[in-house]
Amino acid sequence: MEEMMTATPRLTSPKEVRALLEKLGHRPNKGLGQNFLIDANILDIIANTADLQPKDSVLEIGPGLGALTERILPKAKSVTCIEKDPTMVEYLKSRFTEFTLIDSDALDVDLDALFAGGITKVAANLPYSVASRLMVDIAECEHRPELMSLTIQKEVADRLCSPAGSKHYGVLSILTGVAYGNTLVKKISPTCFLPPPKVWSAVVRMERRKVPIVGSAEYPTFKNLVKYCFSQRRKQIGTILKRMGISPVDELLADAGIEHTERPERIEIERWAKLARLLS
Ligand code: SAM
């Protein structure tokens, strides 16, 4: 028993993770999305999807107890972690030495500065409540990373990876799809986590496009246009634009290759980009 408490706990053993949490006096915090991955196979899939090379500097958001961290540390040149929970921060400091730890809310960190400083990949089991916001924030960074391997809620993964015409296609697919090609790699059962979440999850791969579909000059118009139009996704695009006071709508839509009667969910990113370019 004494040996078990002094040896480094195995983070893929539910029994040892439970004992560790008890020793730390910590109850998983729902608000912080603390569902710890305990499945070695899934952790390997996340690490492998990031395709880590010895030259890579990697960012992990929300390392928790470090189950993914210990898999990416030996594969990368450097690992930077951002963790909000002070108990996790203290534990990570005691468990790992060769890494940089930022004890902060990831939403308060200047992520673009980290990427400008040389971080080129992200591997993470993201806190679900802020996952969509973080993915869009990263896609909007000037120095956005070349590859991301992320675990997110399955329902969010569907939205991220859906093409135009699908019922899941929307603002998230478009604002991330401008800069990344998104693919769903693996669905994950709640039983792979401790405690198990109520929903299924998925590993997604986001690979940076060589050239983003929308340039930075037109991006603000593009984003406002897409958000506004999807707030009325059942309406026809011609009707929405007329309501916005845009004129002449028919000519503009014809130039963008869009039918007056099309609904926002049928318009691919490239045609939204054309429309935004014409508007700006
Ligand atoms: N990576 C670990 C794993 O796979 O077992 C833990 C993942 S858990 C889903 C999410 C982690 O993100 C938790 O450790 C939580 O404390 C942390 N977290 C939640 N919100 C955060 C935020 N806004 N900024 C940074 N970390 C956050």
Side-chain angles (χ1 to χ4, degrees), residues 42-52 68 71-72 75 149:
I42 299 294
L43 286 159
D44 285 340
I45 290 174
I46 305 172
N48 292 339
T49 298
D51 191 19
L52 297 176
L68 181 61
R71 276 176 166 69
I72 57 181
K75 293 188 172 180
S149 169

Side-chain angles (χ1 to χ4, degrees), residues 23-79:
K23 190 176 160 203
L24 298 173
H26 187 78
R27 293 184 69 172
N29 182 324
K30 268 196 194 159
L32 290 178
Q34 287 181 347
N35 303 99
F36 302 105
L37 262 171
I38 47 164
D39 186 294
N41 181 37
I42 299 294
L43 286 159
D44 285 340
I45 290 174
I46 305 172
N48 292 339
T49 298
D51 191 19
L52 297 176
Q53 308 296 324
K55 65 173 177 34
D56 288 330
S57 296
V58 187
L59 173 67
E60 183 185 3
I61 299 173
L65 296 165
L68 181 61
T69 323
E70 67 185 6
R71 276 176 166 69
I72 57 181
L73 267 171
K75 293 188 172 180
K77 183 174 94 182
S78 70
V79 175

Side-chain angles (χ1 to χ4, degrees), residues 11 26 29 31-38 43 46 60-69 82-86 88 92 102-109 123-130 134 151 193-194:
L11 299 175
H26 187 78
N29 182 324
L32 290 178
Q34 287 181 347
N35 303 99
F36 302 105
L37 262 171
I38 47 164
L43 286 159
I46 305 172
E60 183 185 3
I61 299 173
L65 296 165
L68 181 61
T69 323
I82 308 175
E83 174 56 61
K84 186 175 176 181
D85 185 312
M88 300 296 122
L92 289 162
I102 303 173
D103 54 342
S104 170
D105 187 323
L107 298 176
D108 297 335
V109 175
N125 171 16
L126 288 179
Y128 292 176
S129 60
V130 288
L134 283 169
T151 296
F193 299 84
L194 189 137

Side-chain angles (χ1 to χ4, degrees), residues 163-189:
S166 135
K167 67 174 179 182
H168 300 296
Y169 178 72
V171 176
L172 184 66
S173 342
I174 296 174
L175 296 187
T176 57
V178 163
Y180 285 90
N182 305 328
T183 38
L184 197 153
V185 176
K186 174 94 184 145
K187 285 196 291 176
I188 316 175
S189 155

Side-chain angles (χ1 to χ4, degrees), residues 40 174 177-178 247 250 263:
I174 296 174
V178 163
S247 143
D250 291 338
R263 299 186 200 280

